[in-house]
Amino acid sequence: MSFKYDKNNKYHRLGKNALIVVVSLTVFVLAWWVVSILAHSTVIPTPIKTFDALISFLQDGYLGISAGRYISASLTLFLKGFLLAFVLAVPLGLILGFSKSLNTFVTPIIEVLRPIAPMAWAPVFIYGISYDTGPMLVVFIGIFFPLLTNVIFGVKKIDPSLVDAALTLGASKFHLFTKVMAPSAIPYIMNGIKVGLGVGWMCIVAAEMYNPRGFGVGYCISDMCFNGLWPSTFAMLIIIAALGILTTSLAEYLQKYVSKRMGVE
Amino acid sequence: MFDGSNKEQTSDKGSVSYAEGEDFIHIENLSKIYKRDDSETVAIEDFSINIKKGELISIVGPSGCGKTTILRMIAGLLEPTSGTITVAGHPCDKPGPDRGMVFQDFALMPWRSVIKNVELGMEMAGVPKEERRKRAEEYISIVGLEKFKDARINELSGGMKQRVGIARALVNHPDVLLMDEPFGALDAQTRNLMQAGLIKILDKTDQTIIFITHSVDEAVYLSDRIVVLTKRPAKIKEIIEIPWPRPRDRASPDFTALRKHILDELEKENVLDD
Ligand SMILES: Nc1ncnc2c1ncn2[C@@H]1O[C@H](COP(=O)(O)OP(=O)(O)OP(=O)(O)O)[C@@H](O)[C@H]1O
Ligand SMILES: [Mg+2]
């Protein structure tokens, strides 16, 4: 069996997958169409009307504010929440994975806080702290816990013979941390980021709805809804879905790339 | 494989220098009891041996008798319950690059290239970059991997991985090389090649090696002495000197007779197994 045969086979499979995706999306749009006609309600606009609303939102914005500003406001908030979660969860996870006693001390606290749905924090953060930092903190919570658990898991999953090997090569505790633990945890950190970004994106849209002064997509869609602008609302749903897909596929791509670089596939 | 013409010097650390054939490693009354909650496992009981500089000594014994335990205590990865171990006059109370270890599962860092794996010990010891690179390249060529020095670990075959493992340990000029079933994960053909390679290293250096193996054939092929252990708790059953030059002929009557003798001894241990 030649290499070329396999390659062709791969393209064949890719083509087939693409075809399935196109068919499935077509079926989805058609079903939506049928439902919108049967329901005969303004709440469910047809795909055509939605598409028009989407174009006009992208061109003219909403309430005199451009589409780009809504989107970038959300993405900025998202990025801030992510960065805060990253700089706190990664070192903390590494240390907790490394030190048994510290882990025993902190675990009960984490286990109490972790099951609280990130959205339950939204009113607390937004009304209790501020309209601006509140939604960011909700995103932070959404990303922080999945990331932290993955980092701790990563450190615990370290191959003990790698630790032995490093020790027999003269590793100090500090070296063990920097030369073995941290690098072997990286693929798990990436997995935590992937999961965290998914949760975080769900959080931000909902969290922004609480903010009457915000200009994110969450605020935008709730205002459209409130004013009965259903085609625009649906258009926003599409934008939110697209941004969500974009962030998770970026995270997925990064995770695959990093895992490959770190020699684990 | 395993080529190059490097004449290895004795370790430059330590105050005393040892000549080839001099007693170099002293293990006295070594015992290890694993305590776990309410159960105790006596792994090693009163194990003593002296090993000479430049000697390749193999340890064979029934499965689970305590071979790895002995090696890990020499490496300093495990604390003896009682007894003492010194290598080149130094006690083995903590691990260090003066006792290089080669692992059955290779234990290479998959995120590092071949050369970066070989450099790791020197990197942690603070050896300057230039020198690190030069020494690593030298040992990579000794194990015949020059073409793969920048390769990633998961691109290598099992035999190549273990050659990296050997270079990584040897590059630090260890007093002793501790090998725990180093070729156990390899297929028979690769295994033979690796044994031949190890013999070449022995010819060119006075590297002291403690070699654990399940293969009696391998032990007879490589060793200056073979330590046959009893079943757990491991005690020395017999020590066999093999004065024959290497490479050895596996088909010779002496070779097959010795192999049979050791296999018979081990068989007796296994029959008595509980
Ligand atoms: N960390 C540990 N805690 C408790 N018992 C242990 C531990 N490590 C090893 N043992 C026990 O000590 C005995 C000797 O183990 P060891 O790994 O040294 O044997 P071995 O001769 O290397 O075995 P093998 O031939 O399978 O490699 C075994 O019975 C094993 O179950
Ligand atoms: Mg063992």
Side-chain angles (χ1 to χ4, degrees):
Chain A
M1 214 186 297
S2 74
F3 179 64
K4 206 169 174 201
Y5 174 78
D6 284 335
K7 220 173 162 182
N8 283 340
N9 196 22
K10 191 179 154 193
Y11 286 133
H12 181 74
R13 212 174 49 234
L14 275 179
K16 204 170 143 191
N17 283 348
L19 190 70
I20 294 173
V21 170
V22 169
V23 170
S24 112
L25 287 179
T26 313
V27 168
F28 173 73
V29 172
L30 286 177
W32 169 12
W33 213 315
V34 171
V35 170
S36 72
I37 289 168
L38 290 180
H40 204 73
S41 149
T42 50
V43 178
I44 306 177
T46 62
I48 295 277
K49 274 191 184 157
T50 305
F51 187 70
D52 286 343
L54 178 64
I55 298 295
S56 82
F57 173 70
L58 290 176
Q59 275 173 355
D60 311 327
Y62 178 67
L63 298 179
I65 293 163
S66 72
R69 258 203 77 189
Y70 283 113
I71 293 171
S72 70
S74 285
L75 289 179
T76 310
L77 214 58
F78 186 68
L79 197 67
K80 282 184 189 161
F82 166 73
L83 287 178
L84 186 63
F86 185 82
V87 299
L88 291 180
V90 172
L92 184 64
L94 289 174
I95 292 166
L96 291 184
F98 194 62
S99 156
K100 271 210 179 81
S101 46
L102 211 60
N103 196 2
T104 328
F105 177 75
V106 178
T107 303
I109 304 174
I110 293 173
E111 286 311 310
V112 167
L113 295 178
R114 196 166 60 104
I116 302 173
M119 279 317 298
W121 291 102
V124 181
F125 288 151
I126 292 163
Y127 301 132
I129 298 176
S130 92
Y131 285 133
D132 301 316
T133 48
M136 190 270 280
L137 289 175
V138 177
V139 175
F140 159 75
I141 291 283
I143 299 177
F144 180 78
F145 285 107
L147 188 52
L148 182 70
T149 9
N150 271 278
V151 178
I152 294 175
F153 183 71
V155 178
K156 290 203 173 137
K157 285 279 281 190
I158 283 167
D159 179 355
S161 63
L162 288 187
V163 174
D164 284 352
L167 285 173
T168 59
L169 291 168
S172 63
K173 275 215 151 173
F174 177 72
H175 286 137
L176 272 191
F177 191 72
T178 56
K179 308 278 182 193
V180 187
M181 308 238 158
S184 37
I186 284 179
Y188 296 90
I189 295 175
M190 291 311 296
N191 193 51
I193 288 178
K194 192 177 81 178
V195 178
L197 286 186
V199 180
W201 187 247
M202 286 183 216
C203 293
I204 192 166
V205 176
E208 281 174 341
M209 292 180 183
Y210 284 87
N211 185 357
R213 294 192 281 117
F215 299 106
V217 289
Y219 165 75
C220 188
I221 193 174
S222 67
D223 200 74
M224 286 166 168
C225 230
F226 199 67
N227 291 310
L229 302 169
W230 299 109
S232 300
T233 304
F234 270 63
M236 279 315 284
L237 284 179
I238 291 175
I239 289 178
I240 290 166
L243 291 174
I245 291 170
L246 206 72
T247 35
T248 37
S249 6
L250 187 70
E252 203 150 310
Y253 171 79
L254 269 178
Q255 188 216 10
K256 287 215 173 103
Y257 175 78
V258 170
S259 297
K260 204 170 166 186
R261 281 298 313 255
M262 300 309 281
V264 276
E265 272 160 295
Chain B
M1 190 197 272
F2 292 66
D3 239 348
S5 54
N6 307 74
K7 192 81 191 165
E8 205 46 52
Q9 295 301 305
T10 44
S11 171
D12 42 9
K13 61 159 267 197
S15 40
V16 197
S17 77
Y18 291 77
E20 192 162 348
E22 230 181 305
D23 271 355
F24 187 55
I25 299 174
H26 299 272
I27 301 179
E28 260 167 63
N29 308 108
L30 189 68
S31 298
K32 178 70 194 180
I33 302 171
Y34 287 108
K35 292 199 176 77
R36 198 183 264 169
D37 301 330
D38 48 353
S39 74
E40 282 194 353
T41 308
V42 185
I44 312 293
E45 204 169 61
D46 206 20
F47 178 91
S48 301
I49 193 169
N50 288 331
I51 296 168
K52 294 182 190 69
K53 171 100 188 134
E55 194 172 25
L56 192 157
I57 192 149
S58 286
I59 301 179
V60 298
S63 195
C65 73
K67 303 180 290 294
T68 299
T69 302
I70 295 174
L71 212 66
R72 286 174 60 82
M73 287 192 285
I74 301 170
L77 292 169
L78 195 66
E79 206 188 331
T81 308
S82 64
T84 55
I85 309 170
T86 59
V87 172
H90 307 285
C92 303
D93 44 11
K94 61 177 199 300
D98 55 325
R99 282 147 292 138
M101 189 140 180
V102 175
F103 298 80
Q104 180 174 7
D105 59 358
F106 318 125
L108 301 169
M109 316 293 164
W111 55 86
R112 287 177 163 250
S113 65
V114 166
I115 191 158
K116 281 279 179 188
N117 264 282
V118 177
E119 282 183 37
L120 181 58
M122 294 183 282
E123 199 179 297
M124 296 189 295
V127 176
K129 207 169 175 154
E130 288 283 295
E131 190 193 335
R132 220 154 76 195
R133 198 127 272 253
K134 211 175 123 262
R135 268 169 65 185
E137 276 169 359
E138 181 190 331
Y139 277 85
I140 287 171
S141 84
I142 289 178
V143 298
L145 286 177
E146 332 41 355
K147 287 204 187 79
F148 294 89
K149 73 180 163 87
D150 294 313
R152 311 191 54 78
I153 298 304
N154 57 11
E155 293 164 6
L156 306 180
S157 69
M160 289 157 105
K161 282 181 188 160
Q162 198 55 298
R163 284 190 267 158
V164 179
I166 292 169
R168 174 178 72 173
L170 285 180
V171 76
N172 304 308
H173 306 301
D175 290 327
V176 59
L177 188 63
L178 307 169
M179 306 179 89
D180 192 355
E181 297 185 41
F183 308 147
L186 308 176
D187 63 81
Q189 203 182 346
T190 311
R191 202 176 172 129
N192 286 349
L193 287 171
M194 296 293 287
Q195 291 164 0
L198 196 60
I199 285 176
K200 278 195 187 158
I201 291 180
L202 287 178
D203 286 347
K204 293 191 182 97
T205 70
D206 57 357
Q207 183 65 56
T208 312
I209 300 178
I210 303 180
F211 193 100
I212 289 180
T213 179
H214 264 127
S215 159
V216 172
D217 181 81
E218 183 167 79
V220 177
Y221 187 73
L222 292 174
S223 318
D224 294 310
R225 276 196 295 166
I226 300 177
V227 178
V228 184
L229 297 180
T230 63
K231 66 172 182 153
R232 205 188 73 221
K235 280 176 298 235
I236 295 175
K237 187 177 174 70
E238 191 179 357
I239 297 181
I240 299 157
E241 288 234 28
I242 311 181
W244 316 328
R246 285 175 291 242
R248 294 171 182 160
D249 178 7
R250 287 187 155 94
S252 76
D254 282 350
F255 193 104
T256 46
L258 180 56
R259 191 176 55 196
K260 182 171 184 325
H261 166 74
I262 297 170
L263 283 170
D264 287 346
E265 290 299 301
L266 288 174
E267 187 68 27
K268 282 181 210 158
E269 290 300 312
N270 284 332
V271 168
L272 294 169
D273 222 326
D274 44 351

